[in-house]
Amino acid sequence: MGQESVRSELIEPYFVKTLRCLRCGKEYAPGAIEYVCPCRSNRGSDLGTLDVSYDYTAIARVTDPERMRLDSDPSIGRFWPLLPIAGRQSLPPLPVGGTPLLSVPRLRHETGLPNLWIKDDGRNPSASFKDRASAIAVARAQAESRPIVATASTGNAAAALAALAAAAGQRTVIFVPQSAPPAKVAQLLVYGSIVLAVNGSYDEAFDLCTKACLEFGWYNRSTGYNPYMTEGKKTVSYEIALQLAEQTEAKAPMKAPDAVFVSVGDGCIIGGVHKGFKDLLTLGWIDRMPRLFGVQSARSPALYNAWRSGAEIPEPVRAATRADSISVDAPRDPIKALNAVRQTGGAFVLVEDEAILQAILPLARFGAVFAEPAGAAAYAGLLQARRDGLVHKEETIVVINTGSGLKDVRAAMEVAGAAHAVEPSLAAVRNLLEQGALST
């Protein structure tokens, strides 16, 4: 089934209104186009990213922030009118979302930011933010009776898809670069996915996945290509607004922070964060848009470079960052990512890999959040932005951890150090104490 085919047989959810190309502005009726607009960018090879729009007047008649807050289901299911699904029953039977917004008092003291919060999405079922999008992918694939859902991923999106698909009994094929961390590949195999380790980069795996889906009729979950993945990712903004209002005893049931920091590779997550807050602002449920800060590694700076130069489409780079989840040569969702920063008055922040790895420790030791390098990058970006004067002491700031540190134990051990070898005797422990080896 091609990207321009008409799919009138698919009954779209009532609240989805149109799909609009962010490059050429053309609008499509729901079901009239599958993934991307066929318009071309100036570079000549990229297809137009679509944005899903909703009938917000109708949505406001069936739900509101108070109903969402009181819903007994803490998962993304409580947001179903704002999602491209027919109802919460369409979602896989594995709850996604409802992750904690942590007040981190010791980290606040360490940073001098008294209103700092950590949104820990490493506590999702497959231990990453990507579960939010994968839940939508599985729901839509099953609504279309697709035999297989496929994706290209450096690890987290694939693991999320594998977990959600296993819960729903959906077959999956995953394309990963051979450099993907073993812990992430292990998740895919355990959940029963067919894993194709591509002898090449993430970008080459992405292109192969796209071709295979078009050739064999598989449902393509890949970030930046499937417009509905943004819709799953935006749910983090709904949760932040609800949780922030509740924990700060705000007068309204939803509250927007002043700034949000998130690591960026393809750009789909920050695009989703932006979309979520835009939804809330359109509905009148929050009174302002937070500034969004995208954090990139200096070894994968394509979107940072485009932001600095004012370009619409980033020039590809040769990505080589240790933060594999954000290691991308040519970002697949650049328009949404750049809009997220430019339209909110935020910024892209560049950090070195060393700073990313070192950020793992304070997050864990002062915030009790064990983050993989990509998650720690967001915190490293906050520290850099603080030094650059981009945020101020009294502002309410949310840092999103996008993945658990268990995803990349090797990186954690590199900065945390090794265990102390000791004989099974009290004398051996006393000797280590006298040497100062057990001091912290």
Side-chain angles (χ1 to χ4, degrees), residues 97-116:
T99 57
L101 183 69
L102 304 173
S103 62
V104 293
R106 295 186 67 217
L107 201 60
R108 289 173 173 178
H109 178 75
E110 182 73 9
T111 59
L113 297 169
N115 299 307
L116 173 63

Side-chain angles (χ1 to χ4, degrees), residues 273-403:
V273 173
H274 187 211
K275 179 66 177 292
F277 285 117
K278 281 199 298 183
D279 283 348
L280 300 182
L281 197 62
T282 299
L283 285 159
W285 295 350
I286 56 174
D287 60 4
R288 69 178 188 277
M289 176 67 71
R291 304 192 316 281
L292 301 184
F293 291 85
V295 184
Q296 291 213 286
S297 165
R299 297 185 181 184
S300 182
L303 282 162
Y304 172 86
N305 292 344
W307 172 72
R308 285 293 301 269
S309 69
E312 178 189 3
I313 302 297
E315 289 295 326
V317 298
R318 294 185 64 85
T321 174
R322 288 288 305 278
D324 66 281
S325 294
I326 56 172
S327 186
V328 175
D329 292 349
R332 302 291 174 160
D333 218 353
I335 296 179
K336 289 181 182 178
L338 290 166
N339 284 348
V341 169
R342 288 169 175 162
Q343 293 177 7
T344 66
F348 275 96
V349 181
L350 205 63
V351 291
E352 298 290 342
D353 269 18
E354 182 180 356
I356 292 173
L357 294 178
Q358 290 302 319
I360 293 172
L361 296 184
L363 270 176
R365 295 176 180 179
F366 297 110
V369 172
F370 185 19
E372 68 167 328
Y379 180 68
L382 168 63
L383 298 181
Q384 184 61 52
R386 183 88 163 98
R387 289 190 290 268
D388 293 342
L390 299 177
V391 294
H392 306 293
K393 179 179 178 181
E394 300 303 325
E395 289 188 306
T396 299
I397 299 168
V398 175
V399 172
I400 301 175
N401 171 39
T402 50

